[in-house]
PDB file of all heavy atoms in Angstrom:
ATOM      1  N   LEU A  63      83.360  57.455  48.604  1.00 98.00           N
ATOM      2  CA  LEU A  63      83.628  58.742  47.970  1.00 98.00           C
ATOM      3  C   LEU A  63      85.002  58.762  47.310  1.00 98.00           C
ATOM      4  O   LEU A  63      85.198  59.413  46.275  1.00 98.00           O
ATOM      5  CB  LEU A  63      83.510  59.860  49.009  1.00 98.00           C
ATOM      6  CG  LEU A  63      83.559  61.298  48.506  1.00 98.00           C
ATOM      7  CD1 LEU A  63      82.433  61.588  47.522  1.00 98.00           C
ATOM      8  CD2 LEU A  63      83.500  62.273  49.688  1.00 98.00           C
ATOM      9  N   SER A  66      85.392  58.154  43.469  1.00 98.00           N
ATOM     10  CA  SER A  66      84.598  58.988  42.559  1.00 98.00           C
ATOM     11  C   SER A  66      85.279  59.195  41.215  1.00 98.00           C
ATOM     12  O   SER A  66      84.612  59.390  40.193  1.00 98.00           O
ATOM     13  CB  SER A  66      84.298  60.337  43.218  1.00 98.00           C
ATOM     14  OG  SER A  66      83.508  60.161  44.379  1.00 98.00           O
ATOM     15  N   GLN A  98      89.727  66.281  42.786  1.00 98.00           N
ATOM     16  CA  GLN A  98      88.676  67.020  42.093  1.00 98.00           C
ATOM     17  C   GLN A  98      87.402  66.182  41.977  1.00 98.00           C
ATOM     18  O   GLN A  98      86.276  66.687  42.152  1.00 98.00           O
ATOM     19  CB  GLN A  98      89.140  67.453  40.706  1.00 98.00           C
ATOM     20  CG  GLN A  98      88.167  68.380  39.986  1.00 98.00           C
ATOM     21  CD  GLN A  98      87.934  69.670  40.748  1.00 98.00           C
ATOM     22  OE1 GLN A  98      88.878  70.390  41.073  1.00 98.00           O
ATOM     23  NE2 GLN A  98      86.671  69.974  41.056  1.00 98.00           N
ATOM     24  N   ALA A  99      87.564  64.899  41.699  1.00 98.00           N
ATOM     25  CA  ALA A  99      86.400  64.018  41.592  1.00 98.00           C
ATOM     26  C   ALA A  99      85.688  63.894  42.927  1.00 98.00           C
ATOM     27  O   ALA A  99      84.448  63.864  42.981  1.00 98.00           O
ATOM     28  CB  ALA A  99      86.839  62.645  41.090  1.00 98.00           C
ATOM     29  N   ILE A 100      86.441  63.834  44.024  1.00 98.00           N
ATOM     30  CA  ILE A 100      85.841  63.778  45.364  1.00 98.00           C
ATOM     31  C   ILE A 100      85.038  65.047  45.631  1.00 98.00           C
ATOM     32  O   ILE A 100      83.886  64.991  46.094  1.00 98.00           O
ATOM     33  CB  ILE A 100      86.940  63.590  46.425  1.00 98.00           C
ATOM     34  CG1 ILE A 100      87.506  62.173  46.349  1.00 98.00           C
ATOM     35  CG2 ILE A 100      86.410  63.884  47.823  1.00 98.00           C
ATOM     36  CD1 ILE A 100      88.769  61.966  47.162  1.00 98.00           C
ATOM     37  N   ALA A 101      85.616  66.203  45.337  1.00 98.00           N
ATOM     38  CA  ALA A 101      84.919  67.472  45.558  1.00 98.00           C
ATOM     39  C   ALA A 101      83.657  67.576  44.709  1.00 98.00           C
ATOM     40  O   ALA A 101      82.599  68.010  45.191  1.00 98.00           O
ATOM     41  CB  ALA A 101      85.858  68.640  45.260  1.00 98.00           C
ATOM     42  N   ASP A 102      83.747  67.166  43.458  1.00 98.00           N
ATOM     43  CA  ASP A 102      82.588  67.239  42.561  1.00 98.00           C
ATOM     44  C   ASP A 102      81.476  66.298  43.022  1.00 98.00           C
ATOM     45  O   ASP A 102      80.299  66.647  42.989  1.00 98.00           O
ATOM     46  CB  ASP A 102      83.002  66.889  41.130  1.00 98.00           C
ATOM     47  CG  ASP A 102      83.912  67.930  40.502  1.00 98.00           C
ATOM     48  OD1 ASP A 102      84.017  69.049  41.040  1.00 98.00           O
ATOM     49  OD2 ASP A 102      84.531  67.616  39.461  1.00 98.00           O
ATOM     50  N   ALA A 103      81.860  65.102  43.449  1.00 98.00           N
ATOM     51  CA  ALA A 103      80.863  64.130  43.887  1.00 98.00           C
ATOM     52  C   ALA A 103      80.176  64.591  45.163  1.00 98.00           C
ATOM     53  O   ALA A 103      78.961  64.417  45.323  1.00 98.00           O
ATOM     54  CB  ALA A 103      81.513  62.763  44.094  1.00 98.00           C
ATOM     55  N   GLU A 104      80.942  65.185  46.077  1.00 98.00           N
ATOM     56  CA  GLU A 104      80.324  65.695  47.304  1.00 98.00           C
ATOM     57  C   GLU A 104      79.345  66.822  46.998  1.00 98.00           C
ATOM     58  O   GLU A 104      78.235  66.863  47.549  1.00 98.00           O
ATOM     59  CB  GLU A 104      81.379  66.172  48.289  1.00 98.00           C
ATOM     60  CG  GLU A 104      80.761  66.515  49.642  1.00 98.00           C
ATOM     61  CD  GLU A 104      81.664  67.339  50.529  1.00 98.00           C
ATOM     62  OE1 GLU A 104      82.001  68.484  50.145  1.00 98.00           O
ATOM     63  OE2 GLU A 104      82.027  66.847  51.604  1.00 98.00           O
ATOM     64  N   MET A 105      79.716  67.730  46.101  1.00 98.00           N
ATOM     65  CA  MET A 105      78.812  68.812  45.734  1.00 98.00           C
ATOM     66  C   MET A 105      77.533  68.268  45.109  1.00 98.00           C
ATOM     67  O   MET A 105      76.425  68.745  45.398  1.00 98.00           O
ATOM     68  CB  MET A 105      79.502  69.773  44.777  1.00 98.00           C
ATOM     69  CG  MET A 105      78.570  70.868  44.220  1.00 98.00           C
ATOM     70  SD  MET A 105      77.775  71.875  45.521  1.00 98.00           S
ATOM     71  CE  MET A 105      79.146  72.958  45.955  1.00 98.00           C
ATOM     72  N   ALA A 106      77.660  67.247  44.273  1.00 98.00           N
ATOM     73  CA  ALA A 106      76.475  66.647  43.663  1.00 98.00           C
ATOM     74  C   ALA A 106      75.567  66.036  44.727  1.00 98.00           C
ATOM     75  O   ALA A 106      74.341  66.168  44.661  1.00 98.00           O
ATOM     76  CB  ALA A 106      76.886  65.593  42.640  1.00 98.00           C
ATOM     77  N   MET A 107      76.148  65.363  45.715  1.00 98.00           N
ATOM     78  CA  MET A 107      75.333  64.816  46.801  1.00 98.00           C
ATOM     79  C   MET A 107      74.605  65.931  47.541  1.00 98.00           C
ATOM     80  O   MET A 107      73.413  65.813  47.857  1.00 98.00           O
ATOM     81  CB  MET A 107      76.197  64.012  47.785  1.00 98.00           C
ATOM     82  CG  MET A 107      76.491  62.607  47.332  1.00 98.00           C
ATOM     83  SD  MET A 107      77.070  61.525  48.674  1.00 98.00           S
ATOM     84  CE  MET A 107      78.758  62.088  48.853  1.00 98.00           C
ATOM     85  N   TRP A 108      75.313  67.003  47.835  1.00 98.00           N
ATOM     86  CA  TRP A 108      74.691  68.139  48.538  1.00 98.00           C
ATOM     87  C   TRP A 108      73.517  68.679  47.731  1.00 98.00           C
ATOM     88  O   TRP A 108      72.435  68.930  48.278  1.00 98.00           O
ATOM     89  CB  TRP A 108      75.749  69.225  48.764  1.00 98.00           C
ATOM     90  CG  TRP A 108      75.264  70.372  49.604  1.00 98.00           C
ATOM     91  CD1 TRP A 108      75.317  70.483  50.959  1.00 98.00           C
ATOM     92  CD2 TRP A 108      74.629  71.571  49.125  1.00 98.00           C
ATOM     93  NE1 TRP A 108      74.756  71.674  51.360  1.00 98.00           N
ATOM     94  CE2 TRP A 108      74.334  72.364  50.257  1.00 98.00           C
ATOM     95  CE3 TRP A 108      74.290  72.043  47.867  1.00 98.00           C
ATOM     96  CZ2 TRP A 108      73.710  73.601  50.162  1.00 98.00           C
ATOM     97  CZ3 TRP A 108      73.663  73.283  47.765  1.00 98.00           C
ATOM     98  CH2 TRP A 108      73.382  74.056  48.899  1.00 98.00           C
ATOM     99  N   GLN A 110      71.714  67.135  45.636  1.00 98.00           N
ATOM    100  CA  GLN A 110      70.660  66.135  45.556  1.00 98.00           C
ATOM    101  C   GLN A 110      70.028  65.819  46.910  1.00 98.00           C
ATOM    102  O   GLN A 110      69.287  64.849  47.043  1.00 98.00           O
ATOM    103  CB  GLN A 110      71.209  64.863  44.899  1.00 98.00           C
ATOM    104  CG  GLN A 110      71.579  65.079  43.431  1.00 98.00           C
ATOM    105  CD  GLN A 110      72.624  64.108  42.925  1.00 98.00           C
ATOM    106  OE1 GLN A 110      73.155  63.279  43.668  1.00 98.00           O
ATOM    107  NE2 GLN A 110      72.953  64.207  41.640  1.00 98.00           N
ATOM    108  N   LEU A 133      79.067  68.422  54.371  1.00 98.00           N
ATOM    109  CA  LEU A 133      78.245  67.301  54.790  1.00 98.00           C
ATOM    110  C   LEU A 133      78.796  66.720  56.090  1.00 98.00           C
ATOM    111  O   LEU A 133      79.968  66.883  56.408  1.00 98.00           O
ATOM    112  CB  LEU A 133      78.226  66.205  53.721  1.00 98.00           C
ATOM    113  CG  LEU A 133      77.717  66.587  52.329  1.00 98.00           C
ATOM    114  CD1 LEU A 133      77.780  65.387  51.394  1.00 98.00           C
ATOM    115  CD2 LEU A 133      76.299  67.135  52.385  1.00 98.00           C
ATOM    116  N   TYR A 135      79.849  63.328  58.178  1.00 98.00           N
ATOM    117  CA  TYR A 135      80.379  62.025  57.785  1.00 98.00           C
ATOM    118  C   TYR A 135      80.615  61.127  58.993  1.00 98.00           C
ATOM    119  O   TYR A 135      81.024  61.596  60.059  1.00 98.00           O
ATOM    120  CB  TYR A 135      81.724  62.174  57.067  1.00 98.00           C
ATOM    121  CG  TYR A 135      81.631  62.712  55.661  1.00 98.00           C
ATOM    122  CD1 TYR A 135      81.747  64.083  55.419  1.00 98.00           C
ATOM    123  CD2 TYR A 135      81.430  61.862  54.577  1.00 98.00           C
ATOM    124  CE1 TYR A 135      81.674  64.590  54.126  1.00 98.00           C
ATOM    125  CE2 TYR A 135      81.354  62.357  53.288  1.00 98.00           C
ATOM    126  CZ  TYR A 135      81.472  63.715  53.062  1.00 98.00           C
ATOM    127  OH  TYR A 135      81.389  64.221  51.781  1.00 98.00           O
ATOM    128  N   LEU A 315      80.829  55.711  42.691  1.00 98.00           N
ATOM    129  CA  LEU A 315      80.682  56.039  41.274  1.00 98.00           C
ATOM    130  C   LEU A 315      81.412  55.037  40.384  1.00 98.00           C
ATOM    131  O   LEU A 315      81.260  55.094  39.165  1.00 98.00           O
ATOM    132  CB  LEU A 315      81.185  57.463  41.008  1.00 98.00           C
ATOM    133  CG  LEU A 315      80.251  58.573  41.496  1.00 98.00           C
ATOM    134  CD1 LEU A 315      80.873  59.948  41.249  1.00 98.00           C
ATOM    135  CD2 LEU A 315      78.880  58.486  40.840  1.00 98.00           C
ATOM    136  N   LEU A 321      75.375  59.535  42.884  1.00 98.00           N
ATOM    137  CA  LEU A 321      75.312  59.275  44.324  1.00 98.00           C
ATOM    138  C   LEU A 321      74.042  59.889  44.897  1.00 98.00           C
ATOM    139  O   LEU A 321      74.059  60.558  45.926  1.00 98.00           O
ATOM    140  CB  LEU A 321      76.559  59.833  45.022  1.00 98.00           C
ATOM    141  CG  LEU A 321      77.902  59.304  44.510  1.00 98.00           C
ATOM    142  CD1 LEU A 321      79.055  59.928  45.285  1.00 98.00           C
ATOM    143  CD2 LEU A 321      77.971  57.779  44.576  1.00 98.00           C
TER     144      LEU A 321
END
Side-chain angles (χ1 to χ4, degrees):
L63 189 60
S66 297
Q98 187 60 55
I100 288 169
D102 292 346
E104 188 196 63
M105 174 57 78
M107 279 197 284
W108 186 89
Q110 293 155 357
L133 301 179
Y135 286 93
L315 286 177
L321 303 180

